[in-house]
Amino acid sequence: MKYTLYPGCASEGTAISYHHSALEVAKVLGLELKEIEDWNCCGATVTSSVIGQFAADVLAARNLALAEKMGQEDVVATCSSCYAILGNVNKKFSDEKFKVNANDALSKDGLSYDGKLKVRMLLDVMVSEVGLDTIASKVVKPLKGLKVAGYVGCQTVRALREFDNWENPTFLDEIIAALGAEPVPFSHKLKCCTGAMAISSADITVSALYPILKSAHEAGADLIVTPCPLCQMNLDAFQVKVNKGYGTNYNLPVLFFTQLMAVAYGLDSKKAGLDYCIVSPNNALKQFGV
Amino acid sequence: MSDATAKEKATIKYDSEFTKKVYEMENGKWVKMCMQCGICPTTCALKEKMDLSPRRIIQLIRAGRKDEVLKANTMWLCTSCYTCACRCPRGVPMMDVMHDLRHLAVENGINHNSQAMAEVYAKDVSKRGRIWEGGLMLNYGLKIGLGNFMKMALDMQDVGKGLMLHRRLPLLPPKGVKNPGKLREVLNRAQEIAKKEGGH
Ligand code: SF4
Ligand code: SF4
Ligand code: SF4
Ligand code: SF4
């Protein structure tokens, strides 16, 4: 199984542990992920308010053009936001006028994009292509007794509505269960963490994070997993601020789901990237040899 | 609502040009499509922090109440979470409408911290093709001014410390695209085309 990988900027900074653990886990699963050569930032939702929607679309499309140059393998993104942006732009290429204009701009860098590739999210590829049976078959340390809150976040299943169920998603929980752990239901599974607002309006972010942590905690979760870099960073790095602001004492590790897979696959904690976690998962995962 | 805003409201006039302007924007057709059912505010996570709900914003655009619309914090608080868009019976992509409104607000000289952030972000993209998350904070700090930055740094020190200790904020920029100059040419050309085609 082969895909071209769009890593996204977070893979080089705040979500470095997502990137590395995803590559390690993919190796175990025989999933070939070839990084798009010379990729650029997808632009997220903010760039369009500065350079305009069309230029922001072209920025994102440059990555698809580069992927096409490498072959006919579909593109997979790890980050929810990158997936939403690249996927939306990809759809626009079915509009002939958009395609002509976008290729006009891309030609300045000697590129063009035909619009034939699909854009997928890693979470989707794991469940729909790799399959839960295969995911389960590689487990060497079943995560028995571990209670996990699968925080899907907002854009992941809603932005394109191309996989899972966007009102009641199950993919993430199914992976958790395939690893032998227990997915716990909690009310704020899909509630927005406010994303990049964390920097410009931290107080609003903290007030959005509080009920997410609270509901996961009350559901008895030992830790949280998520498929989204911003969700991970906000819940992990801002947990201390939530505790200060609300007088709580939460100590909930927040992992990327690929990190939890790495643990269940018996990969060492370096490969799983566990020391990048701010709230230490060592206690919760001690029983599994971490 | 404060007295001041109540008074302002009393003096606000209907501005049909404004309504037309929004209709002509990239997502203007959606503003026409809305049937004011009220589902979006009930699903919006940020509603309580917004001056005007997403539904109300649309109502006021149609009523030509330019100042109230452009001064609202609504479009700046929308996180593009897609919740309302998924549930809207007319399929209105509210986050895209909000992006148009940000544009209009900026054009009218209204600004917001998240626009400052967006500008820093876009600058990094055109300079290096990729975002350097560590530098992002720094440049954002410069943009909002030293005083504000110090306040923010103080307020964020726990968060920053955690990220630093766990090597999550690279101190040096990771490599960018090979030829950022070419990327800028692509983006410039795209902006030219957008201008030629109308809209933005
Ligand atoms: S959205 Fe974020 S993670 Fe994705 S490419 Fe852009 S900056 Fe990087
Ligand atoms: S939950 Fe937060 S980080 Fe995740 S997609 Fe939504 S805004 Fe982005
Ligand atoms: S849910 Fe849709 S139709 Fe209903 S008020 Fe909101 S935008 Fe309008
Ligand atoms: S997309 Fe924006 S307006 Fe709609 S629910 Fe999310 S934050 Fe609210």
Side-chain angles (χ1 to χ4, degrees):
Chain A
M1 215 172 288
K2 276 198 204 162
Y3 290 89
T4 37
L5 175 70
Y6 178 73
C9 306
S11 73
E12 300 181 323
T14 50
I16 193 162
S17 52
Y18 193 11
H19 185 60
H20 288 178
S21 61
L23 293 178
E24 291 295 340
V25 165
K27 245 188 259 166
V28 174
L29 293 165
L31 177 67
E32 206 182 304
L33 300 174
K34 213 160 70 189
E35 183 166 324
I36 296 177
E37 250 166 71
D38 205 36
W39 58 271
N40 58 268
C41 173
C42 72
T45 41
V46 297
T47 326
S48 67
S49 67
V50 181
I51 63 175
Q53 187 63 53
F54 181 67
D57 285 345
V58 169
L59 176 72
R62 179 177 175 276
N63 296 298
L64 302 175
L66 289 168
E68 199 177 64
K69 223 166 106 181
M70 287 170 63
Q72 290 309 307
E73 277 88 40
D74 288 339
V75 174
V76 42
T78 45
C79 165
S80 302
S81 186
C82 301
Y83 162 68
I85 299 289
L86 295 181
N88 266 321
V89 167
N90 198 32
K91 281 191 183 162
K92 292 189 183 176
F93 273 81
S94 58
D95 177 315
E96 208 38 52
K97 192 165 161 219
F98 177 88
K99 186 166 149 184
V100 168
N101 283 336
N103 279 327
D104 177 342
L106 287 169
S107 70
K108 293 275 167 206
D109 197 6
L111 293 166
S112 73
Y113 178 55
D114 195 36
K116 295 266 161 54
L117 301 181
K118 281 201 190 79
V119 176
R120 309 278 303 262
M121 169 113 183
L122 183 66
L123 178 65
D124 175 28
V125 167
M126 283 287 180
V127 176
S128 311
E129 308 301 332
V130 176
L132 293 164
D133 289 345
T134 309
I135 291 173
S137 74
K138 304 290 181 190
V139 172
V140 296
K141 282 186 188 146
L143 306 176
K144 245 180 128 158
L146 188 71
K147 292 192 171 161
V148 182
Y151 176 58
V152 177
C154 60
Q155 298 192 340
T156 311
V157 288
R158 288 195 191 112
L160 294 162
R161 281 163 271 174
E162 282 177 340
F163 70 93
D164 210 345
N165 178 312
W166 49 266
E167 286 289 5
N168 185 21
T170 58
F171 279 21
L172 191 57
D173 281 351
E174 280 164 330
I175 292 181
I176 294 166
L179 303 176
E182 183 193 331
V184 294
F186 65 114
S187 58
H188 280 58
K189 197 180 195 60
L190 286 165
K191 285 280 177 343
C192 179
C193 74
T194 74
M197 207 178 278
I199 300 169
S200 51
S201 317
D203 50 325
I204 293 182
T205 299
V206 168
S207 67
L209 295 173
Y210 168 61
I212 298 171
L213 290 166
K214 181 169 186 273
S215 73
H217 173 76
E218 282 169 1
D222 298 311
L223 52 81
I224 297 175
V225 296
T226 170
C228 176
L230 262 172
C231 302
Q232 196 286 335
M233 183 183 77
N234 285 348
L235 285 170
D236 195 8
F238 281 77
Q239 206 169 121
V240 47
K241 266 184 100 58
V242 171
N243 282 336
K244 274 195 185 160
Y246 290 86
T248 49
N249 223 336
Y250 299 134
N251 186 29
L252 276 167
V254 188
L255 272 63
F256 292 107
F257 73 101
T258 45
Q259 291 182 284
L260 196 66
M261 291 174 84
V263 171
Y265 290 176
L267 303 176
D268 61 35
S269 95
K270 193 157 178 270
K271 284 185 176 159
L274 294 181
D275 53 340
Y276 290 105
C277 290
I278 294 164
V279 178
S280 169
N282 292 350
N283 232 342
L285 296 173
K286 203 165 50 203
Q287 44 178 323
F288 309 108
V290 164
Chain B
M1 192 182 292
S2 71
D3 282 357
T5 39
K7 229 180 261 150
E8 241 175 57
K9 215 178 138 179
T11 59
I12 278 159
K13 295 206 183 67
Y14 176 80
D15 179 348
S16 63
E17 279 307 307
F18 174 66
T19 310
K20 231 176 91 198
K21 174 117 208 218
V22 179
Y23 283 169
E24 278 165 7
M25 293 189 81
E26 187 153 344
N27 299 289
K29 62 169 189 280
W30 295 109
V31 176
K32 291 187 208 164
M33 286 287 285
C34 166
M35 62 185 205
Q36 292 288 304
C37 72
I39 288 178
C40 51
T42 66
T43 68
C44 179
L46 274 300
K47 192 201 87 190
E48 263 139 58
K49 311 269 177 195
M50 290 174 174
D51 304 335
L52 301 169
S53 82
R55 180 202 64 80
R56 181 83 177 136
I57 274 270
I58 289 196
Q59 190 182 38
L60 293 185
I61 294 170
R62 290 173 173 175
R65 307 248 289 260
K66 178 175 172 184
D67 289 357
E68 281 162 280
V69 170
L70 292 185
K71 276 189 198 138
N73 66 359
T74 308
M75 53 277 203
W76 302 107
L77 291 192
C78 170
T79 61
S80 294
C81 78
Y82 287 81
T83 313
C84 61
C86 286
R87 293 181 181 164
C88 169
R90 288 282 169 88
V92 175
M94 189 63 80
M95 54 283 154
D96 297 338
V97 174
M98 297 293 181
H99 278 140
D100 283 356
L101 292 178
R102 286 184 188 192
H103 254 294
L104 266 186
V106 173
E107 259 178 53
N108 282 271
I110 297 168
N111 234 315
H112 187 267
N113 271 0
S114 46
Q115 184 65 13
M117 188 66 203
E119 278 166 17
V120 165
Y121 203 97
K123 208 169 138 200
D124 213 12
V125 173
S126 78
K127 205 166 115 203
R128 307 186 331 105
R130 290 185 199 170
I131 297 296
W132 167 34
E133 291 169 315
L136 208 59
M137 299 287 270
L138 210 67
N139 288 326
Y140 174 67
L142 292 174
K143 184 127 200 158
I144 60 176
L146 193 63
N148 288 333
F149 184 48
M150 293 307 276
K151 229 170 77 201
M152 182 181 91
L154 206 67
D155 183 50
M156 297 276 265
Q157 61 178 325
D158 294 332
V159 175
K161 203 171 84 193
L163 285 167
M164 287 298 202
L165 275 176
H166 295 268
R167 310 191 312 271
R168 300 269 294 273
L169 275 182
L171 290 174
L172 293 172
K175 70 171 203 259
V177 296
K178 282 184 206 134
N179 194 340
K182 284 270 174 226
L183 178 62
R184 277 194 293 274
E185 278 179 42
V186 168
L187 297 180
N188 288 341
R189 177 74 190 135
Q191 283 179 303
E192 266 169 45
I193 295 171
K195 220 185 241 147
K196 200 177 70 205
E197 298 276 331
H200 54 274

